[in-house]
Amino acid sequence: AQKITQTQPGMFVQEKEAVTLDCTYDTSDPSYGLFWYKQPSSGEMIFLIYQGSYDQQNATEGRYSLNFQKARKSANLVISASQLGDSAMYFCAMREDNFNKFYFGSGTKLNVKP
Amino acid sequence: EAQVTQNPRYLITVTGKKLTVTCSQNMNHEYMSWYRQDPGLGLRQIYYSMNVEVTDKGDVPEGYKVSRKEKRNFPLILESPSPNQTSLYFCASSLRPEVHNEQFFGPGTRLTVL
Protein backbone atom coordinates (compact mmCIF):
# COMPACT_ATOMS: atom_id res chain seq x y z
CA ALA A 1 0.00 0.00 0.00
CA GLN A 2 1.12 3.53 -0.69
CA LYS A 3 2.43 5.27 2.40
CA ILE A 4 1.64 8.75 1.07
CA THR A 5 -1.08 9.51 -1.47
CA GLN A 6 -1.49 12.80 -3.26
CA THR A 7 -4.49 12.48 -5.55
CA GLN A 8 -4.19 15.82 -7.36
CA PRO A 9 -1.47 15.66 -10.03
CA GLY A 10 -2.17 19.27 -11.03
CA MET A 11 -4.19 22.20 -9.75
CA PHE A 12 -4.95 25.76 -10.76
CA VAL A 13 -5.77 28.60 -8.40
CA GLN A 14 -6.45 32.27 -8.96
CA GLU A 15 -3.96 34.68 -7.44
CA LYS A 16 -4.99 35.85 -3.95
CA GLU A 17 -7.32 32.91 -3.42
CA ALA A 18 -6.77 30.05 -0.98
CA VAL A 19 -6.00 26.53 -2.15
CA THR A 20 -5.94 23.13 -0.44
CA LEU A 21 -3.56 20.39 -1.52
CA ASP A 22 -4.62 16.92 -0.41
CA CYS A 23 -2.47 14.33 1.30
CA THR A 24 -3.42 11.06 2.94
CA TYR A 25 -1.00 8.71 4.67
CA ASP A 26 -0.87 5.16 5.84
CA THR A 27 1.07 4.00 8.88
CA SER A 28 0.68 1.78 11.92
CA ASP A 29 3.49 3.57 13.75
CA PRO A 30 1.89 5.62 16.58
CA SER A 31 4.69 8.21 16.34
CA TYR A 32 5.32 9.92 13.04
CA GLY A 33 5.89 13.30 11.48
CA LEU A 34 4.29 14.87 8.44
CA PHE A 35 6.03 17.39 6.19
CA TRP A 36 5.28 19.50 3.17
CA TYR A 37 7.97 20.57 0.72
CA LYS A 38 7.87 22.92 -2.24
CA GLN A 39 9.89 22.31 -5.38
CA PRO A 40 9.98 25.26 -7.78
CA SER A 41 10.98 24.81 -11.40
CA SER A 42 14.59 25.49 -10.40
CA GLY A 43 14.57 22.11 -8.67
CA GLU A 44 15.51 22.76 -5.05
CA MET A 45 13.47 21.29 -2.20
CA ILE A 46 12.12 23.88 0.23
CA PHE A 47 10.69 22.87 3.60
CA LEU A 48 7.33 24.48 4.32
CA ILE A 49 5.67 23.01 7.39
CA TYR A 50 5.77 20.13 9.88
CA GLN A 51 3.12 18.35 11.98
CA GLY A 52 3.91 15.74 14.63
CA SER A 53 1.49 12.90 15.24
CA TYR A 54 1.05 13.93 18.86
CA ASP A 55 0.61 17.63 18.17
CA GLN A 56 -2.81 18.74 19.31
CA GLN A 57 -2.99 21.85 17.18
CA ASN A 58 -2.69 22.23 13.45
CA ALA A 59 0.67 23.62 12.38
CA THR A 60 0.85 27.06 10.78
CA GLU A 61 3.76 28.88 9.13
CA GLY A 62 2.85 32.24 7.66
CA ARG A 63 0.50 31.63 4.73
CA TYR A 64 0.81 27.86 5.10
CA SER A 65 -1.29 25.75 7.42
CA LEU A 66 -1.59 22.02 7.76
CA ASN A 67 -5.07 20.63 8.24
CA PHE A 68 -4.28 17.51 10.29
CA GLN A 69 -7.11 15.01 10.69
CA LYS A 70 -5.56 12.06 12.48
CA ALA A 71 -8.58 9.74 12.41
CA ARG A 72 -8.88 10.21 8.66
CA LYS A 73 -5.09 10.02 8.21
CA SER A 74 -5.03 13.20 6.21
CA ALA A 75 -2.59 16.11 6.28
CA ASN A 76 -3.78 18.67 3.75
CA LEU A 77 -1.77 21.80 3.04
CA VAL A 78 -3.69 25.05 2.88
CA ILE A 79 -2.06 28.03 1.19
CA SER A 80 -3.88 31.27 1.83
CA ALA A 81 -3.74 34.30 -0.46
CA SER A 82 -1.90 32.51 -3.29
CA GLN A 83 0.92 34.36 -5.02
CA LEU A 84 2.44 33.83 -8.45
CA GLY A 85 5.59 32.60 -6.74
CA ASP A 86 3.62 29.72 -5.22
CA SER A 87 3.54 28.03 -8.62
CA ALA A 88 5.58 24.88 -8.01
CA MET A 89 5.43 21.17 -7.27
CA TYR A 90 4.37 20.34 -3.71
CA PHE A 91 5.28 17.14 -1.94
CA CYS A 92 3.77 15.64 1.18
CA ALA A 93 6.11 13.43 3.20
CA MET A 94 6.00 11.25 6.29
CA ARG A 95 8.65 10.04 8.70
CA GLU A 96 7.93 6.90 10.69
CA ASP A 97 9.74 7.24 14.00
CA ASN A 98 10.12 3.51 14.58
CA PHE A 99 12.18 3.09 11.43
CA ASN A 100 13.48 6.61 10.76
CA LYS A 101 12.46 6.24 7.14
CA PHE A 102 10.91 8.95 5.02
CA TYR A 103 8.16 8.52 2.44
CA PHE A 104 7.12 11.07 -0.16
CA GLY A 105 3.99 11.38 -2.23
CA SER A 106 4.01 11.74 -6.01
CA GLY A 107 3.43 15.48 -5.76
CA THR A 108 0.90 18.10 -6.85
CA LYS A 109 1.81 20.69 -9.45
CA LEU A 110 0.21 23.99 -8.50
CA ASN A 111 -0.26 26.77 -11.03
CA VAL A 112 -1.27 30.20 -9.77
CA LYS A 113 -3.06 32.28 -12.39
CA PRO A 114 -2.81 36.08 -12.43
CA GLU B 1 26.65 29.26 5.13
CA ALA B 2 24.81 26.13 6.29
CA GLN B 3 24.37 23.86 3.31
CA VAL B 4 24.35 20.43 1.75
CA THR B 5 26.54 20.15 -1.32
CA GLN B 6 26.47 17.48 -4.01
CA ASN B 7 28.90 16.79 -6.82
CA PRO B 8 28.63 16.51 -9.69
CA ARG B 9 25.44 18.39 -10.46
CA TYR B 10 25.09 16.75 -13.86
CA LEU B 11 26.54 13.48 -15.08
CA ILE B 12 26.15 11.50 -18.27
CA THR B 13 27.74 8.07 -18.20
CA VAL B 14 27.51 4.66 -19.83
CA THR B 15 26.18 1.37 -18.56
CA GLY B 16 28.54 -0.43 -16.21
CA LYS B 17 30.97 2.40 -15.51
CA LYS B 18 31.27 2.83 -11.74
CA LEU B 19 30.50 6.27 -10.40
CA THR B 20 30.29 8.10 -7.11
CA VAL B 21 28.12 11.08 -6.24
CA THR B 22 29.49 12.96 -3.26
CA CYS B 23 27.40 14.61 -0.56
CA SER B 24 28.71 16.82 2.21
CA GLN B 25 27.01 18.87 4.93
CA ASN B 26 28.52 21.49 7.22
CA MET B 27 25.81 21.52 9.90
CA ASN B 28 27.07 18.64 12.07
CA HIS B 29 23.91 16.71 11.27
CA GLU B 30 23.62 13.12 12.40
CA TYR B 31 21.05 11.94 9.89
CA MET B 32 21.80 11.82 6.16
CA SER B 33 19.82 10.31 3.35
CA TRP B 34 19.76 9.76 -0.40
CA TYR B 35 16.66 9.99 -2.58
CA ARG B 36 15.88 9.57 -6.22
CA GLN B 37 13.15 11.58 -7.91
CA ASP B 38 11.31 10.22 -10.93
CA PRO B 39 8.30 11.76 -12.71
CA GLY B 40 5.03 10.57 -11.24
CA LEU B 41 6.76 8.76 -8.39
CA GLY B 42 7.92 11.61 -6.20
CA LEU B 43 11.01 11.05 -4.10
CA ARG B 44 11.99 7.58 -2.96
CA GLN B 45 14.52 6.95 -0.24
CA ILE B 46 17.53 4.89 -1.32
CA TYR B 47 19.66 4.71 1.83
CA TYR B 48 19.92 6.60 5.06
CA SER B 49 22.42 6.92 7.87
CA MET B 50 21.72 7.63 11.51
CA ASN B 51 25.37 8.40 12.28
CA VAL B 52 28.94 7.47 11.41
CA GLU B 53 29.25 3.82 10.36
CA VAL B 54 25.46 3.33 10.67
CA THR B 55 23.60 2.94 7.39
CA ASP B 56 20.28 1.37 6.46
CA LYS B 57 18.26 0.58 3.37
CA GLY B 58 15.44 2.77 2.25
CA ASP B 59 12.74 1.77 -0.19
CA VAL B 60 14.85 1.37 -3.33
CA PRO B 61 18.40 0.31 -2.37
CA GLU B 62 19.08 -2.16 -5.21
CA GLY B 63 22.04 -1.15 -7.35
CA TYR B 64 23.36 1.42 -4.87
CA LYS B 65 25.92 1.49 -2.09
CA VAL B 66 26.70 4.10 0.53
CA SER B 67 29.26 4.68 3.24
CA ARG B 68 29.46 7.00 6.24
CA LYS B 69 33.06 7.14 7.40
CA GLU B 70 32.83 10.74 8.53
CA LYS B 71 29.86 12.63 9.91
CA ARG B 72 29.87 15.26 7.18
CA ASN B 73 30.11 12.99 4.11
CA PHE B 74 27.71 10.44 2.69
CA PRO B 75 28.70 9.35 -0.84
CA LEU B 76 26.38 7.39 -3.11
CA ILE B 77 28.09 4.71 -5.19
CA LEU B 78 26.74 3.04 -8.30
CA GLU B 79 29.02 0.06 -8.92
CA SER B 80 27.51 -0.84 -12.29
CA PRO B 81 25.01 1.78 -13.39
CA SER B 82 22.13 0.82 -15.66
CA PRO B 83 19.73 2.99 -17.71
CA ASN B 84 16.94 2.51 -15.12
CA GLN B 85 19.10 4.47 -12.67
CA THR B 86 18.74 7.57 -14.80
CA SER B 87 17.15 9.98 -12.37
CA LEU B 88 17.46 13.12 -10.28
CA TYR B 89 19.25 12.37 -7.02
CA PHE B 90 19.00 14.36 -3.80
CA CYS B 91 21.08 14.13 -0.68
CA ALA B 92 19.55 15.44 2.54
CA SER B 93 20.55 15.86 6.16
CA SER B 94 18.95 16.69 9.49
CA LEU B 95 19.97 16.85 13.14
CA ARG B 96 18.04 13.81 14.33
CA PRO B 97 15.05 12.34 12.55
CA GLU B 98 12.95 11.47 15.57
CA VAL B 99 12.43 15.02 16.70
CA HIS B 100 10.96 17.90 14.79
CA ASN B 101 13.74 18.59 12.39
CA GLU B 102 13.36 19.41 8.76
CA GLN B 103 15.63 17.78 6.27
CA PHE B 104 17.95 20.11 4.39
CA PHE B 105 18.33 19.09 0.78
CA GLY B 106 21.25 19.41 -1.56
CA PRO B 107 20.76 20.98 -5.00
CA GLY B 108 20.36 17.61 -6.75
CA THR B 109 22.41 15.58 -9.22
CA ARG B 110 20.91 14.78 -12.58
CA LEU B 111 22.29 11.43 -13.74
CA THR B 112 21.84 9.97 -17.20
CA VAL B 113 23.00 6.40 -17.87
CA LEU B 114 23.22 5.51 -21.57
Side-chain angles (χ1 to χ4, degrees):
Chain A
Q2 290 271 53
K3 288 282 190 180
I4 297 285
T5 303
Q6 293 181 253
T7 56
Q8 305 153 314
M11 286 191 72
F12 284 92
V13 65
Q14 201 69 38
E15 194 179 6
K16 297 180 185 154
E17 290 185 351
V19 64
T20 298
L21 306 184
D22 294 341
C23 172
T24 57
Y25 60 92
D26 181 31
T27 183
S28 55
D29 194 335
S31 181
Y32 52 90
L34 297 158
F35 301 79
W36 277 92
Y37 283 86
K38 173 184 178 181
Q39 187 180 44
S41 57
S42 50
E44 72 268 31
M45 295 290 288
I46 302 167
F47 166 76
L48 295 178
I49 197 166
Y50 166 85
Q51 179 87 40
S53 58
Y54 294 116
D55 293 342
Q56 295 294 314
Q57 294 198 328
N58 286 344
T60 60
E61 290 283 352
R63 293 185 300 111
Y64 304 107
S65 60
L66 199 153
N67 184 1
F68 180 46
Q69 297 189 44
K70 197 169 183 176
R72 296 181 61 187
K73 293 190 173 177
S74 77
N76 298 341
L77 176 71
V78 180
I79 306 175
S80 63
S82 298
Q83 301 172 355
L84 296 177
D86 293 335
S87 293
M89 185 73 92
Y90 289 81
F91 291 100
C92 179
M94 175 178 67
R95 178 201 68 234
E96 290 182 324
D97 291 343
N98 256 345
F99 303 103
N100 292 310
K101 284 185 173 183
F102 280 83
Y103 302 93
F104 282 76
S106 54
T108 295
K109 188 167 172 60
L110 178 67
N111 281 294
V112 180
K113 299 187 291 184
Chain B
E1 181 194 350
Q3 58 184 354
V4 179
T5 55
Q6 293 179 229
N7 282 292
R9 295 288 313 279
Y10 302 90
L11 179 60
I12 301 174
T13 188
V14 294
T15 299
K17 187 176 180 183
K18 180 179 178 179
L19 67 92
T20 299
V21 184
T22 64
C23 172
S24 184
Q25 49 92 6
N26 61 2
M27 296 169 279
N28 202 35
H29 284 169
E30 293 180 9
Y31 186 90
M32 295 187 76
S33 183
W34 275 103
Y35 299 89
R36 62 176 289 173
Q37 182 179 3
D38 302 291
L41 297 177
L43 282 79
R44 292 178 292 168
Q45 193 170 39
I46 303 170
Y47 269 96
Y48 62 97
S49 169
M50 296 288 291
N51 215 323
V52 175
E53 303 292 1
V54 181
T55 62
D56 236 319
K57 294 178 181 178
D59 257 4
V60 289
E62 293 76 24
Y64 304 94
K65 282 175 56 176
V66 293
S67 69
R68 188 96 181 268
K69 294 186 172 61
E70 307 162 283
K71 200 170 187 179
R72 64 183 293 129
N73 296 323
F74 190 44
L76 179 70
I77 302 153
L78 284 72
E79 296 265 1
S80 182
S82 62
N84 64 14
Q85 292 178 297
T86 292
S87 188
L88 177 60
Y89 291 86
F90 285 101
C91 180
S93 74
S94 65
L95 268 173
R96 291 170 64 88
E98 70 272 21
V99 295
H100 171 194
N101 274 304
E102 67 179 276
Q103 287 190 92
F104 291 83
F105 281 80
T109 294
R110 189 165 290 282
L111 172 65
T112 302
V113 183
L114 302 174

